[in-house]
Amino acid sequence: MAKQRDNWGSRLGIILAVAGSAIGLGNFLRFPAKAASNGGGAFIIPYLIAFFFLGIPLMWIEWTLGRYGGGFGHGTAPGIFHNIWRKNRFIKYFGVIGIFGPLVIFIYYTFIESWLLGYSFFALSGKYTAITDQTVMQNFLRGYQGVQNNEFFNGPGWAYVFFLVTFVLNVGVIYYGIKGGIERLCKLAMPLLCVCGIILLIRVLTLGTPDPAKPDWNINNGFGFLWNPDFSALKSAKVWLEATGQIFFTLSLGIGVILTYASYLKKGDDVVLSGLTAASTNEMAEIILGGSIVIPAAFVFFGPVAIESIAKSGTFNLGFVTMPLVLNKLPWAQAFAFIWFFLLFLAGITSSVSLAQPAVAFLEDEFDISRRKAVAIFGAATFLLCQPGIFFLKNGVVDELDFWGGTVFLVIFGTIEVILFAWVFGMNNAWDEIHKGADMRIPRAYKFIIKYITPLFLFIILGAWFLQEWIPVIAMRNVSAADRPYVLGTRIGLLALFSGIAALVKIAWRKKENRRQCRQESARSN
Ligand code: PFF
């Protein structure tokens, strides 16, 4: 029926690739920032509840649906959803999110990833090693981004060069395919990432009390600041939403990338143990490495008062301002800064290639074109799509892309997946399908959880999110009048992109229908 699809070379390969997608900036920057400002150690309670009732079930669902779809020659959500619910003509259009979402994240994620490459380079050249002041380091970042001309940078030239390199690397990896590109990259990058993480972890753990005049500014108190629980935070709905959002984002769930990765499995390949292993690897990297580096280290050098505002200063500030300042105070500053940014770059590239794959798989599978052609189309289209994020960064374009691609659509798509799997495909079928080739049995309680608890959890979260946080963002309440045209422009662009992909789905299905009719007619006339 379908042409021969690419596949994974080994089981370790797909586990590392899924873990590579999951382990990203979210683990090292987003997680510690969220935990510190949402109850510290208490944040772990809603976080783990979301992990067990949403994260793990969705991980299994995406692996299973992906492998199932791959069996029909479909690697993306339109085809997979269509196969699950053939009677419904519209369900394939819900699957558009599984191509659109990753594409939207890809177009800003690669740009941010390229800053990491730039900062790795400037760490070695020593361009920011002498900076010891927060404002100056902030200016360095703003100069690099091209938001401000200053003594460090004149325009976004350097940022653009590193963007081009990063973009070409990503497209290059995709070009070599699943086994030859993505798997090879992850087998190299993931162990390297692990080594960089452990080096930084040991460095932070051995910080002690660098300034004897300030005995409280020590590493034990740094861990205490992040991990001492404030249980009163659990009364706030926001803390629960943040924890759930983090689970989606960090595990790369509800977006379509794991669906696509799993579509390259073979029919009898295990998904239960592999999915669980990939998810657990991400959690180790997140809680142990992510939870031990930035915030405890910043505490030691900035003290208990300043850390409060540092923890709330956002992901970018933590990564690109606070952390280089901390490292600059240590011996071997250049080497450690390089290790930090290179670690993040590796974490970034193993995530961004996963974001690129669904669009490429869609073109290959549904239009029957070669990978070379699909990658060329993908490269040309995303290159253009990346430009607004680069040049209008200061006008809120990236934030807007992140809001839709990185938050709203994840939860909506995750909800659709669970409903399709547990209710349309049917829980008994689903249970059999998950366990095909499985190396372990899932505890039976999960049959109940996947059918009732996970969807209920998602509906509650969706409703609460919409009312509490999304309405103000959609109404642009926090956007300045000057930036509104940019934000509106971004929305119109996103709508056009979504409609474009939906149109491609329609064309692909019409073509297939025509081909089927032709075959039937020629069979009849014979
Ligand atoms: N999981 C990645 C992180 O934690 O940084 C981000 C991400 C990658 C989200 C791929 C979604 C995705 F499809």
Side-chain angles (χ1 to χ4, degrees):
M1 173 197 163
K3 66 174 183 208
Q4 182 66 32
R5 296 178 82 241
D6 209 345
N7 48 42
W8 297 100
S10 66
R11 181 168 180 187
L12 180 68
I14 180 175
I15 293 176
L16 285 181
V18 173
S21 169
I23 300 174
L25 304 186
N27 297 55
F28 295 97
L29 300 175
R30 201 175 189 266
F31 172 76
K34 295 275 177 209
S37 46
N38 289 294
F43 182 75
I44 287 296
I45 296 172
Y47 178 86
L48 286 183
I49 291 178
F51 178 67
F52 285 110
F53 292 104
L54 280 182
I56 294 195
L58 269 169
M59 188 57 101
W60 279 327
I61 292 175
E62 292 204 6
W63 279 69
T64 310
L65 284 179
R67 182 186 58 179
Y68 177 80
F72 295 94
H74 295 291
T76 43
I80 297 175
F81 288 3
H82 174 79
N83 266 294
I84 295 278
W85 199 357
R86 284 186 168 273
K87 286 202 203 95
N88 188 317
R89 283 171 42 215
F90 299 105
I91 196 66
K92 56 182 178 288
Y93 296 109
F94 285 93
V96 169
I97 304 174
I99 301 159
F100 168 82
L103 215 50
V104 172
I105 302 186
F106 181 85
I107 58 188
Y108 67 84
Y109 204 89
T110 17
F111 182 42
I112 296 164
E113 186 183 313
S114 73
W115 306 351
L116 299 163
L117 192 63
Y119 269 63
S120 307
F121 175 80
F122 291 128
L124 294 180
S125 76
K127 198 169 165 78
Y128 55 77
T129 315
I131 303 176
T132 51
D133 179 83
Q134 191 120 10
T135 320
V136 182
M137 194 59 100
Q138 204 119 35
N139 287 345
F140 186 90
L141 177 62
R142 295 165 67 81
Y144 179 85
Q145 293 168 335
V147 173
Q148 182 189 84
N149 285 342
N150 53 35
E151 72 263 44
F152 302 110
F153 296 96
N154 222 327
W158 276 108
Y160 208 80
V161 169
F162 285 108
F163 164 70
L164 286 178
V165 175
T166 307
F167 187 83
V168 169
L169 280 174
N170 271 282
V171 174
V173 171
I174 297 297
Y175 176 82
Y176 284 102
I178 295 295
K179 190 165 40 203
I182 297 177
E183 184 167 343
R184 222 173 344 149
L185 167 77
C186 292
K187 277 185 166 164
L188 198 78
M190 296 309 285
L192 208 55
L193 183 155
C194 194
V195 171
C196 292
I198 291 173
I199 294 175
L200 287 169
L201 177 66
I202 295 174
R203 183 61 273 221
V204 173
L205 290 177
T206 51
L207 280 176
T209 313
D211 186 352
K214 294 171 186 149
D216 287 347
W217 296 25
N218 62 48
I219 190 64
N220 286 347
N221 288 344
F223 275 93
F225 170 75
L226 180 57
W227 292 109
N228 283 343
D230 163 18
F231 290 110
S232 69
L234 299 182
K235 285 189 232 131
S236 150
K238 183 176 153 277
V239 171
W240 289 79
L241 293 177
E242 298 274 14
T244 311
Q246 178 62 16
I247 282 294
F248 266 99
F249 190 82
T250 187
L251 288 167
S252 305
L253 288 171
I255 185 94
V257 305
I258 293 176
L259 215 55
T260 299
Y261 270 7
S263 77
Y264 298 100
L265 284 168
K266 295 189 205 80
K267 254 193 161 20
D269 284 344
D270 157 86
V271 298
V272 178
L273 187 58
S274 303
L276 196 59
T277 310
S280 318
T281 309
N282 179 69
E283 291 316 305
M284 298 245 289
E286 177 137 306
I287 298 175
I288 299 180
L289 294 179
S292 307
I293 299 177
V294 185
I295 302 277
F299 181 95
V300 170
F301 289 101
F302 294 100
V305 177
I307 192 75
E308 297 279 350
S309 59
I310 287 176
K312 291 193 175 68
S313 66
T315 315
F316 290 164
N317 262 313
L318 272 181
F320 292 93
V321 178
T322 307
M323 199 58 188
L325 283 174
V326 165
L327 298 172
N328 281 353
K329 293 183 200 261
L330 298 174
W332 301 78
Q334 282 174 255
F336 280 112
F338 173 77
I339 294 176
W340 168 245
F341 284 109
F342 195 60
L343 158 90
L344 292 182
F345 177 72
L346 292 174
I349 192 166
T350 50
S351 296
S352 57
V353 291
S354 77
L355 291 162
Q357 189 57 31
V360 172
F362 172 69
L363 294 173
E364 276 185 81
D365 296 335
E366 311 302 347
F367 288 91
D368 252 335
I369 59 175
S370 67
R371 185 170 67 225
R372 251 174 78 177
K373 220 166 169 185
V375 173
I377 296 172
F378 170 83
T382 49
F383 184 75
L384 293 177
L385 290 170
C386 283
Q387 306 306 315
I390 299 177
F391 290 103
F392 304 124
L393 176 74
K394 62 173 180 293
N395 305 100
V397 170
V398 168
D399 292 337
E400 189 64 15
L401 293 174
D402 184 47
F403 172 70
W404 295 102
T407 318
V408 176
F409 281 112
L410 301 191
V411 194
I412 296 178
F413 189 73
T415 311
I416 300 171
E417 284 178 321
V418 181
I419 300 293
L420 274 178
F421 191 66
W423 291 86
V424 178
F425 195 51
M427 204 51 226
N428 288 332
N429 278 341
W431 200 247
D432 290 343
E433 188 64 35
I434 293 187
H435 283 101
K436 279 187 186 153
D439 282 335
M440 66 175 255
R441 298 224 36 106
I442 301 178
R444 279 199 76 79
Y446 265 101
K447 209 167 168 181
F448 181 80
I449 293 173
I450 293 176
K451 186 158 180 184
Y452 299 104
I453 311 275
T454 309
L456 193 68
F457 196 151
L458 281 166
F459 280 128
I460 294 172
I461 288 288
L462 211 52
W465 228 322
F466 185 75
L467 295 176
Q468 270 219 338
E469 318 228 337
W470 293 351
I471 291 181
V473 181
I474 293 171
M476 296 195 282
R477 278 188 208 144
N478 295 322
V479 179
S480 70
D483 287 344
R484 285 196 181 178
Y486 294 93
V487 171
L488 267 179
T490 310
R491 287 186 191 170
I492 294 171
L494 288 177
L495 194 63
L497 181 64
F498 191 95
S499 314
I501 302 172
L504 287 178
V505 169
K506 195 174 171 76
I507 294 169
W509 257 256
R510 190 177 304 147
K511 266 190 172 164
K512 271 185 219 179
E513 184 56 26
N514 286 347
R515 241 179 287 151
R516 200 177 57 88
Q517 280 176 0
C518 282
R519 269 201 305 269
Q520 274 179 353
E521 268 163 35
S522 66
R524 231 178 281 138
S525 59
N526 284 339

